[in-house]
Amino acid sequence: MNATTPPSSGKQLELLVEQFFHNFRQGTLANAEANSTSSLEAFMEATSTELIETGFVEGFEHCHYRARRGMRVDGYWFNDEGAIDIFVADFDCRRQLERLTHAEATAAFKRAANFFEASLEGTLMPDVTTPEYSLVQQIAARRSVLRQVNFYLTSEREFSTRNQSFPDGNVGGVRSAYHVWDMARFQRQHSSRGRKEPLNIDFIELFGHGISCLPANLGSDTYISYLTVMPATILAALYDKFSARLLEQNVRTFLQARAQVNKGIRGTIINEPQMFFAYNNGITATAQEVETSLSAGGLQLVRITDLQIVNGGQTTASLFHTQRRDKADLSQVFVQMKLSVVDSEQSEIIVPRISEYANTQNRVNAADFFSNHPYHLRMADFSRRIWAPAQQGAQRETKWFYERARGQYSDEQLKLLSGEQKLFVLEYPKSQMFTKTDLAKFENVFDEHPRWVNLGSQKNFARYALRIGKEWERSSDHFNEWYFKRAIARNIIFRATEKLVSAQSWYNGGYRANIVAYTLSMLSEIVKRRSSALDFLRIWNTQAVDESLLETIVVIASAVHADITKPPAGISNISEWCKKDGCWNRLVAQVDRISEDLPNYFWELLESAEDNKHEVRTAKQTQKIDNGIEAQRRVLSVPPQQWSLLLREGTNRCLFGPRDLALLRVAIQIPAKVPNETQSAALLKLLSKSQEVGIL
């Protein structure tokens, strides 16, 4: 027995996993009932969401197929890198946590592999009206460009094998990789308090040698750095193997179309490979731990724990794609890399800053730095203090919990005693917790092109972040209590629509996400064309969607379903059709016809555009006042000596103009003299500027 390990730790871990299993099971059953879906579909929704949130996959499409010939698939996703993720479930709604054997996992992977191989060969012909037909056709159509198939086994059991890895293989001439996500692995991910499973690189194992490096001793206790010259062949190979996981801390991963190759980089690789090092700015990376060894040639990096490229994602992707598409020789191409080693406790603070500052040459909007942006902080503040009206038949008011950083909902409960946890759940029901990606989905279907939602959570959030960042810069007052209540109302409509679609006689179990997105976008378009607005405050006040609106949504959803399931000739995959502009354009052309079929009482539910504008203007004015008061409060909380230091250093370094210096002379007189709201806002900007240049 290891002396450093308490004897009871193994048993404690078993209890943790078992408790997690029961909580996960109850959540799955509750979601299945709430959304009128099968428990299998709810299980796949929960597990795929976890994989998307942790960066292992980009998206997920439901597609349940089971054949007697030893084939099964429960979902899939095509990414932009010539790869397909195929999901297979080990799920039987078990009441107790059981063991999944290695043989059972192998058999599950075999069934998924059989499906993929039969699809490649064209020997599988499902019913043309089903989602699996579209998947089979799409696999066959992409055969020439598919480079990788990733099989994901998501299990409600605990894998009994200590080593959970399966060796890479080959299915139908396509490289294959296998990933088991059992209850123990999901539990570990949850207990990591929101941090993602680290990406570990062993250069000796992967490439047979280490990477020469130079230590950069900066005299800092926070982190150490290394400088190295990375062979492009190794960077391309790492991107080929790990793709988005290699770049997950780089916010531009979400904003750029990674399949697109930078023309300048491509030209240099092909025409002047020996000059790439001189022309390229290099890449910036971080790691939690680094292992080095001293060889005859000097110091070498041999292992890196949680390698993340935070700047240079486009360079890395372009190397991979130019090698793959143009058959370019990368043997003469080298890239400089700065690697900062930041421990796990500091990574959540320091890594985003490294990414932000490293990307200043191609400025990324501040909203793309996710959870710490003021927009998310304000939305979280609203969610913690605004009580939602009690639903019909209930006496107790509740709140909607906005999870701006992954794992917050669970973390908040871990701080509480058992009785306090029960009160917390009563105040913030699990069904009223929503994340940043949820919010982006609810908002974009009403305000943006519906195809963004169908492109997957990451791309949809990227679009949302870009739009919100610009709007925040123009006027942060727009994001007020009315905005928050409207977002919740849209949330309620979205979830009600999901449940409605599942209950329709014409719904055969496929494309619900596509139908819901286009239905609500069409609803928004119809209302706009009438110069009207949905009465979102009415929905907020009742915390429900009234029958008249539900009946209207059913009519629109039926029309949407009938249209999107009949893509034009040459397009067999309905999900892919829903990602194209043509799908929306064809539907929009039918707005007038669909509007004629809506019940007359629907129009009575709408409020005039002028009334809506009045509500928005009033809410903005209130928020502006609140912002001013908050600015004054923050200014008054700053120690007086900081204002004195700022005035002195700013004057000595010539950092500020006469107007700024005059403001600081007011600030040093606090509390004898109190800056007004406008002055306080300006002082906060000076405070932020001083922190950037290192005065404070």
Side-chain angles (χ1 to χ4, degrees), residues 413-663:
Q413 296 178 64
L414 291 174
K415 303 172 186 175
L416 306 174
L417 300 175
S418 178
E420 294 173 327
Q421 288 181 6
K422 293 179 180 178
L423 291 175
F424 178 90
V425 174
L426 286 174
E427 183 174 336
Y428 299 101
K430 180 65 184 295
S431 61
Q432 292 180 195
M433 187 276 284
F434 63 109
T435 66
K436 297 187 302 297
T437 51
D438 290 332
L439 179 61
K441 182 168 60 177
F442 306 145
E443 289 287 287
N444 273 359
V445 293
F446 283 95
D447 297 334
E448 280 276 5
H449 196 303
R451 75 182 182 90
W452 288 106
V453 176
N454 290 290
L455 283 169
S457 296
Q458 294 184 1
K459 289 185 175 66
N460 182 61
F461 181 74
R463 179 72 175 188
Y464 183 64
L466 192 63
R467 175 165 64 87
I468 294 303
K470 292 177 180 178
E471 291 180 10
W472 182 274
E473 291 298 322
R474 284 197 299 268
S475 173
S476 65
D477 299 334
H478 170 69
F479 303 99
N480 45 53
E481 290 192 15
W482 180 88
Y483 176 91
F484 175 78
K485 292 176 181 178
R486 187 190 70 173
I488 300 302
R490 289 175 166 183
N491 181 335
I492 293 169
I493 296 173
F494 194 100
R495 294 178 176 180
T497 303
E498 286 183 320
K499 190 171 183 178
L500 268 180
V501 168
S502 297
Q504 299 310 303
S505 59
W506 43 259
Y507 180 66
N508 65 356
Y511 315 116
R512 189 180 75 166
N514 309 117
I515 296 168
V516 170
Y518 275 88
T519 294
L520 296 182
S521 290
M522 179 59 72
L523 172 65
S524 180
E525 183 69 20
I526 289 171
V527 171
K528 288 176 187 174
R529 293 200 178 191
R530 288 290 183 108
S531 297
S532 300
L534 288 172
D535 191 348
F536 291 111
L537 286 185
R538 175 183 176 133
I539 295 169
W540 163 264
N541 288 330
T542 60
Q543 292 291 292
V545 184
D546 60 53
E547 288 298 323
S548 301
L549 182 53
L550 291 176
E551 291 174 18
T552 299
I553 289 172
V554 168
V555 174
I556 298 174
S558 178
V560 165
H561 171 260
D563 187 84
I564 68 172
T565 53
K566 295 182 176 63
I571 299 179
S572 59
N573 191 298
I574 293 170
S575 293
E576 290 302 308
W577 167 235
C578 290
K579 297 173 185 176
K580 299 181 182 298
D581 288 329
C583 183
W584 177 239
N585 293 338
R586 194 173 77 174
L587 263 171
V588 167
Q590 304 175 57
V591 165
D592 292 338
R593 180 187 64 78
I594 296 173
S595 297
E596 292 175 357
D597 294 334
L598 301 183
N600 291 330
Y601 43 77
F602 164 67
W603 308 109
E604 299 173 5
L605 294 174
L606 305 180
E607 62 179 9
S608 70
E610 191 56 40
D611 288 342
N612 183 256
K613 288 178 182 178
H614 175 72
E615 290 175 349
V616 173
R617 282 196 301 267
T618 302
K620 287 182 69 175
Q621 290 167 359
T622 302
Q623 187 63 48
K624 188 173 183 178
I625 294 171
D626 290 344
N627 290 345
I629 295 171
E630 175 63 15
Q632 278 186 308
R633 186 195 65 77
R634 290 175 59 189
V635 165
L636 293 175
S637 68
V638 175
Q641 59 268 28
Q642 286 196 17
W643 294 120
S644 298
L645 174 63
L646 187 53
L647 176 60
R648 183 174 66 252
E649 291 297 317
T651 302
N652 293 339
R653 300 189 195 183
C654 299
L655 293 175
F656 306 129
R659 186 173 298 177
D660 295 336
L661 294 174
L663 280 172

